[in-house]
Amino acid sequence: SSDVCSSDLTLAEQFNGHLLGEGTVSSVLSETRAGFDFGVVNVSGARPLMVTFQNENMVASSDGKVLATVPDLICAVDDEGVPVTNADIAEGMELAYVGFPADPAFRTSEAVALFSNLLSTLGHEEEFVPIEEAAT
């Protein structure tokens, strides 16, 4: 497993973010339905993580603990801090996931309700917890 890359920490610190997980992609499950890419990426290593996506990353969890959900941002980056799209992620890649608080406009009760409806279609029924609380 990899060590925390300084670029990942710098990226997270520079933009008020959180290092959610990092390591080697151990599996990628993906399928296209109704024009959307649905899937799960599992990362193993020093900071294991499971990320569920529907085109975009929706939920990041580790050992059953949710660390981040939309509307907050969950981003995959390579060892140089360059973003990696879900379509480009493959088993064996070394990745880190960093998360960032959403703009306050996306955290209104109305916006969170819209995201909650979307998350429920992915089997995630938990109430939204801001990343600054969930990822600590």
Side-chain angles (χ1 to χ4, degrees), residues 63-87:
D63 269 341
K65 180 182 190 276
V66 174
L67 302 178
T69 64
V70 292
D72 289 336
L73 303 175
I74 302 165
C75 309
V77 294
D78 68 14
D79 58 1
E80 294 180 8
V82 175
V84 180
T85 67
N86 287 322

Side-chain angles (χ1 to χ4, degrees), residues 13-36:
E13 291 169 355
Q14 184 176 358
F15 295 101
N16 191 31
H18 302 271
L19 180 62
L20 301 173
E22 67 153 356
T24 304
V25 176
S26 55
S27 68
V28 180
L29 306 172
S30 181
E31 66 175 328
T32 302
R33 295 189 315 249
F36 293 101

